[in-house]
């Protein structure tokens, strides 16, 4: 190798060494100068731990101060998933779960292996989470765990505040439930000032959901300095948790219990009926709803829906098989609040609104085709004049069971529920040029049909109000027959039980349509200070002069009190003189099923304080099923004898269950959701 070549190589190596040294100096300068603050923070985080302390949720009360939803402490066993996945093979995991289930059960809390495995397999928990595998364990297990910690690596216990329901399953659909955040929910609340973490719970339905921001407390935390093995050295910062606010409802739990009992009893009675014709659909009576409102402000006093469920099931979580049961259509949707979201044809209960539409638009009146006292001959059948292909399937429409009522005016047509009379009104309003063709539809909307009422609960249904203009916009025909059946609350018309109750409430109170009110106020749980009060909310004022209201009310009063009233037998012996009740029966046809049974009532008249609506699916005539159930709700109210419902703790001392000592009608437990 020549000297010149050697010199070049040495020069090249020197340059490489210089470049490498320069890069090393630059990296050191970056780490020690530019990134010093970042690494200082990381170093500090290695010695500082933040421990979050959940805050208890606010409580829920009824109008009389009874606690409907409360909190209690639960000792929960957790398994660190990272330890479980990394320190054990499959066989070791099985052995750990077996030992864990055995010792928890021996300590007094029966726990099965599959329950722990299902919890550990829950995809809602990440690889670094502590997974709750058993709740409400006894302190005996804590002692076992402390003495034999080496046998249970990654297993610990925490105290958790959980929901408790003093009145059991009562008002489940109103109160709702809480459960773990779903991932899509977490993304919506990740920046919430109340600090949600991925494994926190959130209100999913009912009041728990609609008042989540109020009920959820603000979590506390501790910033701890820890040593190299993680033991605490000192508390750097501590913020105590703040409990959520209390929510006071308009609900009366005693009336709620009465409503749920009579709804269930009515459905049970309906199933005992036999059909007149063996080819008719059976009375399956799978579900229904019963609503009680105070018309003076539309405060909700009770809202029952069946089938129902137990909110306490969501406290500990349940198996996939139980969740499948709750979702199975064969169990008739127990999580579905029929009172709020069930949409039903109102049947003849809608005749109040058809009568109002006819009087308000002039069809009935001094210059109309009828006067209030004009007699119309009900032959049992209505034949459409000049009938062509503008009707649904037929030119003739009949009364229920082809009944003939003879001469009827508006008042008697309501009392006996003459379909023929209201067919005539629907036909006249549809085809007479001088009347509003959509008068019935505008009346329905005026009384709150076809749109959510605005109640402070999630999931409300809007209902349906079909009309010529809606059909035309959808490119569908509207025929005279559509208006004829609309006059008796059939066809495509659909309303929720709450909408129907609220529409009647507006008539009962003299013409004020309110948004139904479920929450009265929110209070500070410590001081009792009212944080927010909810005033009555008026949606609209309805023109309701005596000339319109009085004859309709006379007919509705006759439904329960007159000998030929459709609900006379159901209200026979009711204290009418002291507590006059106005009402309307309804029997709504459903294709391929038995009729739905409906009844609406309000009283005491002339200054009503209660409106009650019952809708029972596939249960037959309104007079036979729904009306007796409503009577059994109203009579204790009228006589100040509504039974005081006991809490679970009260009944535990007596060895009973809620409603056991008060229920007269036995219900087959196999037909309740809890037995599904």
């Amino acid at each position: 190798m020549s000297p010149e070549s050697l010199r070049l190589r040495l020069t090249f190596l020197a340059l490489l060494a210089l470049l490498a040294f320069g890069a090393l100096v630059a990296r050191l300068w970056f780490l020690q100068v530019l990134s010093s603050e970042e690494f200082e923070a990381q170093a500090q985080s290695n010695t500082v731990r933040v421990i979050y302390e959940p805050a208890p949720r606010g409580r829920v009360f009824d109008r009389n101060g009874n606690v409907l939803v409360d909190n209690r402490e639960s000792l929960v066993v957790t398994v660190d998933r990272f330890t479980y996945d990394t320190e054990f093979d499959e066989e070791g995991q099985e052995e750990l779960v077996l030992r864990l289930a055995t010792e928890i059960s021996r300590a007094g809390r029966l726990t099965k292996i599959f329950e722990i495995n299902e919890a550990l397999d829950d995809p809602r928990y990440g690889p670094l989470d502590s997974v709750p595998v058993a709740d409400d364990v006894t302190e005996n297990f804590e002692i076992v765990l402390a003495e034999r910690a080496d046998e249970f690596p990654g297993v610990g216990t925490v105290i958790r505040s959980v929901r408790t329901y003093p009145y059991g399953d009562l008002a489940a659909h109103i109160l709702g439930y809480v459960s773990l955040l779903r991932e899509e929910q977490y993304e919506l609340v990740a920046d919430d000032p109340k600090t949600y973490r991925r494994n926190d719970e959130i209100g999913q339905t009912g009041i728990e959901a609609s008042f989540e921001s109020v009920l959820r407390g603000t979590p506390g935390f501790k910033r701890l300095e820890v040593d190299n093995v993680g033991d605490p050295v000192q508390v750097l910062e501590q913020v105590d948790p703040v409990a959520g606010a209390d929510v006071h409802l308009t609900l009366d739990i005693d009336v709620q219990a009465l409503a749920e009992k009579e709804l269930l009893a009515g459905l049970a009675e309906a199933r005992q009926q036999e059909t007149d014709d063996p080819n008719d659909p059976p009375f399956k009576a799978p579900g229904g709803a019963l609503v009680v409102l105070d018309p003076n402000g539309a405060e909700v006093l009770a809202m029952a829906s069946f089938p129902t469920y137990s909110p306490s099931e969501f406290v500990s979580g349940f198996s996939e098989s139980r969740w499948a049961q709750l979702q199975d259509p064969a169990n008739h949707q127990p999580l579905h609040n029929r009172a709020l979201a069930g949409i039903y044809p109102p049947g003849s209960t809608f005749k109040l609104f058809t009568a109002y539409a006819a009087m308000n638009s002039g069809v009935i009146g001094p210059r109309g085709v009828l006067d209030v006292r004009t007699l119309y001959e009900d032959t049992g059948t209505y034949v459409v004049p000049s009938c062509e292909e503008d009707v649904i399937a037929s030119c003739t429409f009949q009364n229920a069971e082809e009944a003939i009522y003879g001469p009827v005016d508006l008042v008697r047509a309501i009392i006996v529920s003459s379909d023929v009379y209201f067919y005539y009104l629907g036909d006249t309003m549809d085809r007479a040029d001088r009347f509003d063709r959509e008068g019935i539809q505008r009346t329905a909307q005026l009384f709150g049909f076809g749109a959510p009422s605005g109640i402070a609960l999630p999931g409300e249904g809007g209902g349906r109000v079909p009309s010529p203009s809606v059909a035309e916009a959808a490119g569908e025909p509207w025929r005279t027959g559509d208006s004829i059946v609309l006059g008796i609350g059939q066809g495509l018309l659909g309303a929720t039980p709450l909408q129907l109750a609220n529409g009647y409430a507006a008539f009962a109170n003299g013409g004020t349509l309110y948004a139904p009110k479920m929450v009265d106020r929110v209070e500070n749980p410590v001081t009792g200070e009212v944080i927010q009060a909810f005033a009555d909310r008026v949606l609209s004022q309805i023109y309701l002069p005596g000339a319109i209201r009085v004859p309709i009310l006379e007919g509705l009063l006759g439904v329960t009190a007159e000998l030929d009233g459709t609900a006379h037998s159901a209200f026979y012996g009711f204290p009418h003189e002291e507590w006059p009740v106005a009402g309307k029966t309804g029997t709504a046809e459903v294709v391929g099923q038995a009729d739905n049974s409906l009844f609406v009532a309000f009283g005491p008249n002339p200054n009503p304080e209660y409106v009650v609506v019952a809708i029972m699916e596939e249960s037959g005539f309104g007079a036979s099923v729904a009306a007796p159930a409503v009577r059994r709700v109203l009579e204790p109210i009228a006589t100040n004898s509504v039974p005081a419902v006991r809490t679970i703790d009260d009944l535990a001392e007596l060895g009973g269950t809620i409603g056991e000592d008060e229920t007269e009608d036995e219900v087959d437990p196999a037909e309740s959701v809890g037995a599904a």
Side-chain angles (χ1 to χ4, degrees):
M1 182 180 299
S2 67
E4 213 174 278
S5 175
L6 180 60
R7 192 183 311 109
L8 284 173
R9 290 189 178 188
L10 290 174
T11 302
F12 180 70
L13 289 172
L15 286 172
L16 283 178
L18 185 62
L19 287 172
F21 182 74
L24 181 60
V25 170
R27 180 61 178 165
L28 288 173
W29 180 79
F30 173 78
L31 293 175
Q32 294 183 13
V33 179
L34 292 183
S35 301
S36 60
E37 293 184 2
E38 177 184 346
F39 285 101
E40 183 180 351
Q42 289 185 11
Q44 185 178 7
S45 68
N46 290 334
T47 60
V48 174
R49 294 291 181 268
V50 178
I51 300 175
Y52 287 94
E53 184 178 356
R57 289 177 73 84
R59 298 166 296 174
V60 182
F61 294 80
D62 82 341
R63 68 189 301 115
N64 298 313
N66 297 304
V67 182
L68 307 182
V69 185
D70 206 344
N71 301 298
R72 63 176 175 83
E73 289 187 342
S74 173
L75 186 61
V76 179
V77 178
T78 63
V79 175
D80 180 74
R81 183 172 263 174
F82 180 79
T83 302
Y84 179 78
D85 290 336
T86 58
E87 294 190 12
F88 296 94
D89 56 17
E90 186 174 344
E91 184 178 348
Q93 290 175 348
E94 292 177 357
E95 291 177 356
L96 176 65
V97 170
L98 174 59
R99 286 199 305 274
L100 193 55
T102 300
E103 293 303 331
I104 295 174
S105 298
R106 282 178 178 171
R109 163 67 163 88
L110 180 62
T111 302
K112 299 178 181 178
I113 292 174
F114 81 87
E115 294 173 336
I116 297 177
N117 283 327
E118 282 188 351
L120 289 168
D121 292 337
D122 193 327
R124 292 175 294 185
Y125 296 99
L128 302 179
D129 287 334
S130 292
V131 181
V133 297
D135 62 354
D136 289 335
V137 299
T138 65
E139 293 181 358
N140 290 338
F141 177 74
E142 263 198 313
I143 296 172
V144 171
L145 193 60
E147 294 175 344
R148 299 162 54 188
D150 57 323
E151 296 181 33
F152 300 99
V155 178
T157 59
V158 295
I159 294 177
R160 186 164 65 110
S161 176
V162 299
R163 289 312 231 179
T164 182
Y165 303 90
Y167 291 93
D169 302 347
L170 285 179
H173 292 97
I174 296 171
L175 301 175
Y177 63 87
V178 296
S179 66
L180 290 176
L181 276 162
R182 298 187 296 272
E183 184 61 31
E184 64 272 18
Q185 289 177 315
Y186 176 75
E187 293 175 1
L188 294 176
V189 299
D191 298 326
D192 192 285
K194 291 195 172 181
T195 316
Y196 287 84
R197 304 175 73 203
R198 273 193 161 79
N199 293 326
D200 280 351
E201 292 182 324
I202 193 170
Q204 300 287 1
T205 62
I207 291 295
E208 293 278 23
S210 57
F211 279 77
E212 168 67 20
S213 62
V214 169
L215 291 166
R216 179 173 172 81
T218 303
F221 66 88
K222 289 181 181 178
R223 291 180 65 246
L224 301 175
E225 181 181 350
V226 297
D227 59 20
N228 60 339
V229 294
D231 292 332
V233 175
Q234 64 174 322
V235 178
L236 301 176
E237 183 182 4
Q238 179 172 348
V239 175
D240 292 331
V242 178
D246 293 336
V247 175
H248 290 254
L249 306 181
T250 61
L251 193 75
D252 185 321
I253 195 61
D254 295 335
V255 177
Q256 177 72 24
L258 178 64
E260 292 194 23
K261 172 195 166 188
E262 298 306 341
L263 172 62
L264 191 59
L267 291 169
E269 290 171 0
R271 297 186 197 109
Q272 305 306 313
Q273 300 176 110
E274 295 184 0
T275 58
D276 295 332
D277 186 331
N279 295 319
D280 289 341
F283 298 110
K284 295 181 178 180
L290 196 151
V291 178
V292 183
L293 292 183
D294 178 350
N296 307 298
E299 293 186 349
V300 179
L301 304 177
M303 185 187 289
S305 177
F306 184 84
T308 187
Y309 67 96
S310 176
S312 59
E313 284 191 86
F314 291 86
V315 171
S316 307
F318 38 72
S319 65
E320 290 184 7
S321 60
R322 178 57 182 147
W323 179 249
Q325 284 181 333
L326 291 172
Q327 300 295 314
D328 189 345
N331 288 329
H332 309 292
Q333 300 177 294
L335 298 179
H336 180 61
N337 187 348
R338 284 164 160 76
L340 189 70
I343 298 176
Y344 305 91
S348 290
T349 63
F350 190 73
K351 288 175 179 175
L352 180 159
F353 308 105
T354 301
Y356 176 94
M359 298 175 77
N360 191 46
S361 62
V363 173
I364 296 177
R367 299 181 181 179
V369 296
L370 295 172
D371 193 73
V372 170
R373 300 299 176 181
T374 301
L375 296 177
Y376 179 86
E377 189 66 30
D378 179 346
T379 62
T381 301
Y382 180 73
V383 180
V384 181
S386 305
C387 181
E388 297 175 0
E389 293 182 359
D390 63 342
V391 295
I392 299 176
S394 174
C395 294
T396 60
F397 298 84
Q398 294 179 321
N399 284 328
E401 297 188 314
E402 302 180 18
I404 300 173
Y405 297 112
V408 295
D409 59 10
L410 174 65
V411 174
R412 180 166 168 77
I414 293 173
I415 292 173
V416 301
S417 200
S418 164
D419 287 343
V420 166
Y421 184 91
F422 286 91
Y423 290 147
Y424 175 68
L425 295 182
D427 187 9
T428 302
M429 294 185 70
D430 181 81
R431 297 201 292 176
D433 294 337
R434 60 194 177 102
F435 302 117
D436 181 2
R437 190 185 189 196
E438 297 195 7
I440 297 177
Q441 288 87 346
R442 294 190 214 288
T443 293
Q445 292 164 350
L446 190 65
F447 280 88
F449 294 91
S453 69
I455 191 172
L457 286 172
E460 183 182 8
R464 298 183 300 268
V465 178
S467 68
S469 56
V470 170
E472 183 180 343
E476 299 173 353
W478 181 270
R479 300 181 176 89
T480 297
D482 297 312
S483 294
I484 290 174
V485 296
L486 179 66
I488 63 163
Q490 290 282 173
L492 296 178
L493 180 66
T496 69
L498 180 62
Q499 284 177 328
L500 186 57
N502 206 36
Y504 265 78
F507 179 86
N509 68 33
T512 303
L513 181 69
Y514 293 95
K517 183 178 174 182
M518 177 60 75
V519 178
D520 180 68
R521 65 191 184 279
V522 175
E523 287 186 356
N524 183 302
V526 177
T527 66
E529 176 188 0
V530 176
I531 299 171
Q532 185 177 8
F534 295 88
D536 298 341
R537 186 155 58 96
V538 176
L539 300 178
S540 64
Q541 291 288 350
I542 300 169
Y543 175 69
L544 194 57
I548 293 178
R549 187 174 189 274
V550 170
I552 295 176
L553 179 59
E554 184 181 343
L556 296 174
L557 287 167
V559 167
T560 63
E562 296 292 332
L563 189 60
D564 51 0
T566 54
H568 176 264
S569 60
F571 278 79
Y572 180 77
F574 189 89
H576 289 288
E577 292 187 7
E578 300 85 5
W579 221 88
V581 175
K584 187 69 193 76
T585 53
T587 305
E589 295 180 1
V590 183
V591 177
Q593 299 176 351
D595 296 339
N596 289 344
S597 176
L598 301 93
F599 190 71
V600 188
F602 57 89
N605 289 284
N607 300 304
E609 299 175 8
Y610 297 89
V611 173
V612 183
V613 167
I615 297 181
M616 301 185 183
E617 300 167 5
E618 301 179 55
S619 295
F621 287 110
S624 302
V625 181
V630 170
R631 186 253 175 88
R632 293 194 300 267
V633 170
L634 282 176
E635 191 157 13
I637 291 173
T639 57
N640 296 313
S641 58
V642 176
V645 65
R646 300 185 178 98
T647 66
I648 289 176
D649 289 340
D650 293 336
L651 289 164
E653 295 177 4
L654 299 171
T657 58
I658 287 178
E660 181 180 309
D661 57 333
E662 298 166 355
T663 302
E664 298 173 2
D665 302 282
E666 293 297 327
V667 179
D668 183 358
E671 295 181 345
S672 71
V673 173

